[in-house]
Amino acid sequence: MNLTVAEENYIKSIYKLEEGAEAVTTTGLAYELDTKPASVTDMAKKLKEKKLIDYEKYQGINLTAEGKKAALHIIRRHRLWECFLVDKLAFSWEEVHELAEELEHVRSEKLIIRLSDFLGNPTIDPHGDPIPDAQGKLGKQRAQISLDQARTKRLEVTAVSDKSAALLEFLNAKGIRLGTQLEVIERYEFDNSIEIKIRNQPAFTISEQVSKNIMVRPL
Amino acid sequence: MNLTVAEENYIKSIYKLEEGAEAVTTTGLAYELDTKPASVTDMAKKLKEKKLIDYEKYQGINLTAEGKKAALHIIRRHRLWECFLVDKLAFSWEEVHELAEELEHVRSEKLIIRLSDFLGNPTIDPHGDPIPDAQGKLGKQRAQISLDQARTKRLEVTAVSDKSAALLEFLNAKGIRLGTQLEVIERYEFDNSIEIKIRNQPAFTISEQVSKNIMVRPL
DNA sequence: TAAAATGTTTAGATTTGTCTAACTTTTATT
DNA sequence: AATAAAAGTTAGACAAATCTAAACATTTTA
Ligand SMILES: [Mn+2]
Ligand SMILES: [Mn+2]
Ligand SMILES: [Mn+2]
Ligand SMILES: [Mn+2]
């Protein structure tokens, strides 16, 4: 199946939205891809034609098994390139998503196998996301929940959901990265903000919006 | 100046044909890019509009100073990626041109600077071609001529002009690579074939076509 | 449950890059 | 110089990806 760059981007976004449960809507996908609903409808017809999605007018979009497999391969390429950029070229985690967004479209089985080997076959990317293997299979993920839902005090950061430079730079400033161990000092009901403390540093407060995008596991 | 992938490929091909002296013709460029003369005429109008080429109907195509600068930046990216693929991912020289043909279009100043650093700022690529620096400047090249024109007996291979897998695989089979030292045993006037010898191995004959694509320097 | 609001699709355009077929210009040959 | 051949251009078409504006469908809300 030979996909265009646009088709690959759509497939990947559909996969992402499907992961976050519920139906993938025209408008939701348009928002995710920073395009217009009309464009999504057009592309939906093409992807249906190629049997990569199930789609009926007004009924939302879902990846077929084949579409899901394609998505995982694109995600694999994306995340391996991110590892390369961070591990080998010393980019920081807020810079790599955009570059990987382009590099992921260079299609060569051999290139990706070699790249993965070169990187030591990593299983998670710089944002804590799992990297599918060459067959498109995702390994067992460690149990993780978002910080706003965690109910224990001592936690370790395992991933970030939002890859925007805005969030990642905020986390840099606060000293929060993958593997950071933190303690919840207080949860404020009023706005669901959370006061946290890292090691011996002074405690600080983060908004609900930030806490929803930090994935953690109990220590 | 923001160029499309197609525009970048055209600019690079024009540069290549210009290097080989004489005028760049519509047909020649179409052949180089594996497209049709009509398409070249269309693109010529666009590139002229963007002031990257000088072009008048029926008068051939030439890069402007700006076009030349753009070409050198694309060539820099292409050759650095080739180095990466060969030096870090263990690809062989006949496999990398096609991959670099895609990777070269990922535009990020920072990426290329980091990549170059990571590779130790190489100055020649796996085919012996010089790599422009970050300003698009080409260093002084060592004097080299094609094997068919060389008039001394003992020579060192410095580059290959043709990057097709067909030629490169032939050279692999014959044990000819960059830096290989060879001795001309005989030149046959009839078909301009050349008998050569590498080290203590038995001599063999190569066609004029091959010899035209091997660049050498006298030892 | 009817009206309003929201979400989705269609129709028709636009941009980019390509093509074929017909035509024009330039160059080579008699 | 006239003609033939080769090279180059134009006209018109098409596919991919996008858009705006208008129409249509579904969902919400009063
Ligand atoms: Mn992408
Ligand atoms: Mn990532
Ligand atoms: Mn290219
Ligand atoms: Mn090369």
Side-chain angles (χ1 to χ4, degrees):
Chain A
M1 181 65 56
N2 236 21
L3 303 179
T4 65
V5 168
E7 286 169 343
E8 287 195 340
N9 285 334
Y10 270 87
I11 290 291
K12 197 153 61 79
S13 289
I14 295 166
Y15 183 93
K16 181 179 170 186
L17 296 185
E18 264 185 351
E19 253 189 327
E22 86 246 40
V24 176
T25 64
T26 303
T27 321
L29 189 49
Y31 181 81
E32 174 69 25
L33 284 160
D34 194 21
T35 183
K36 295 290 177 299
S39 307
V40 171
T41 300
D42 288 345
M43 182 60 88
K45 290 175 190 162
K46 290 175 203 161
L47 295 176
K48 183 189 180 175
E49 192 57 39
K50 293 197 174 190
K51 296 187 195 299
L52 293 164
I53 62 171
D54 289 324
Y55 167 68
E56 294 300 332
K57 257 192 192 189
Y58 296 103
Q59 300 315 130
I61 292 168
N62 288 286
L63 291 176
T64 59
E66 197 186 343
K68 212 160 286 175
K69 198 177 150 194
L72 285 161
H73 277 95
I74 305 162
I75 288 167
R76 171 172 160 80
R77 298 197 295 254
H78 184 102
R79 294 181 180 165
L80 283 171
W81 279 117
E82 284 187 344
C83 287
F84 169 70
L85 294 170
V86 168
D87 297 352
K88 303 296 182 180
L89 300 195
F91 278 91
S92 62
W93 69 349
E94 79 274 11
E95 302 175 292
V96 298
H97 184 78
E98 289 216 325
L99 283 171
E101 202 54 53
E102 300 201 35
L103 289 163
E104 69 187 356
H105 302 294
V106 176
R107 258 149 309 176
S108 161
E109 195 79 23
K110 193 167 182 180
L111 171 60
I112 293 306
I113 287 172
R114 295 267 174 118
L115 180 63
S116 180
D117 276 356
F118 180 59
L119 298 170
N121 297 301
T123 57
I124 63 159
D125 84 356
H127 308 106
D129 294 316
I131 300 173
D133 68 18
Q135 283 68 53
K137 290 232 168 57
L138 278 170
K140 270 271 168 321
Q141 275 182 257
R142 261 191 316 200
Q144 59 178 19
I145 49 171
S146 60
L147 176 52
D148 73 308
Q149 295 185 315
R151 280 297 159 254
T152 49
K153 300 236 169 218
R154 296 188 43 73
L155 303 157
E156 181 182 320
V157 176
T158 55
V160 280
S161 311
D162 184 311
K163 277 82 184 179
S164 69
L167 174 63
L168 297 174
E169 278 166 7
F170 172 80
L171 297 181
N172 287 345
K174 295 300 184 183
I176 299 172
R177 65 203 86 218
L178 294 192
T180 296
Q181 303 193 348
L182 49 85
E183 189 178 350
V184 176
I185 306 295
E186 189 70 59
R187 290 175 177 273
Y188 299 101
E189 263 186 51
F190 175 65
D191 62 356
N192 291 311
S193 62
I194 306 177
E195 191 175 7
I196 61 178
K197 203 162 109 73
I198 301 174
R199 299 211 179 201
N200 306 321
Q201 292 167 248
F204 56 92
T205 302
I206 59 173
S207 67
E208 180 181 26
Q209 219 193 323
V210 168
S211 73
K212 276 183 189 295
N213 284 297
I214 300 176
M215 306 302 294
V216 295
R217 70 178 184 88
L219 277 180
Chain B
M1 181 66 56
N2 237 20
L3 304 179
T4 65
V5 168
E7 286 168 341
E8 288 195 340
N9 286 333
Y10 270 87
I11 290 292
K12 198 155 59 81
S13 288
I14 295 166
Y15 183 93
K16 182 180 169 186
L17 295 185
E18 263 186 351
E19 254 189 325
E22 87 248 38
V24 177
T25 63
T26 303
T27 321
L29 189 49
Y31 181 82
E32 175 69 24
L33 284 160
D34 194 21
T35 183
K36 296 290 179 296
S39 307
V40 171
T41 300
D42 289 344
M43 182 60 88
K45 290 175 190 162
K46 290 175 203 161
L47 294 176
K48 182 187 181 177
E49 191 59 38
K50 292 197 174 191
K51 299 189 194 298
L52 294 163
I53 62 171
D54 290 322
Y55 167 68
E56 295 300 334
K57 258 193 190 191
Y58 297 104
Q59 301 314 130
I61 293 168
N62 287 286
L63 291 176
T64 59
E66 197 185 345
K68 213 160 285 178
K69 197 177 151 194
L72 285 161
H73 278 94
I74 306 162
I75 288 167
R76 171 172 160 81
R77 299 196 296 255
H78 183 103
R79 293 182 181 166
L80 283 171
W81 280 116
E82 285 188 343
C83 287
F84 169 70
L85 295 170
V86 167
D87 296 352
K88 303 295 183 180
L89 301 194
F91 277 90
S92 60
W93 70 349
E94 78 274 13
E95 301 174 293
V96 299
H97 184 78
E98 290 216 324
L99 283 170
E101 202 54 53
E102 301 201 33
L103 288 163
E104 69 187 358
H105 302 294
V106 175
R107 257 150 308 173
S108 161
E109 195 79 23
K110 193 166 183 181
L111 171 60
I112 293 305
I113 288 171
R114 296 266 174 119
L115 180 63
S116 181
D117 277 355
F118 180 58
L119 298 170
N121 297 301
T123 57
I124 62 157
D125 85 355
H127 308 106
D129 293 315
I131 300 174
D133 69 17
Q135 283 69 52
K137 290 234 167 55
L138 278 171
K140 271 273 167 321
Q141 274 183 258
R142 260 192 316 202
Q144 58 179 18
I145 48 171
S146 59
L147 175 50
D148 73 308
Q149 295 185 315
R151 281 295 158 256
T152 48
K153 299 235 167 215
R154 297 190 39 73
L155 304 157
E156 180 181 321
V157 177
T158 54
V160 281
S161 311
D162 184 313
K163 278 82 185 180
S164 69
L167 174 64
L168 297 174
E169 278 165 7
F170 172 80
L171 298 181
N172 286 345
K174 295 299 185 183
I176 298 173
R177 68 202 83 221
L178 293 192
T180 296
Q181 304 195 344
L182 49 84
E183 189 178 347
V184 176
I185 305 296
E186 190 70 58
R187 291 174 177 273
Y188 299 102
E189 263 186 51
F190 175 65
D191 61 355
N192 292 311
S193 61
I194 305 178
E195 190 175 8
I196 61 177
K197 202 162 111 69
I198 302 174
R199 297 212 179 203
N200 306 319
Q201 292 167 248
F204 57 91
T205 301
I206 58 173
S207 67
E208 179 181 26
Q209 219 193 322
V210 168
S211 73
K212 276 183 188 297
N213 284 296
I214 300 176
M215 306 301 293
V216 295
R217 70 177 185 90
L219 276 180

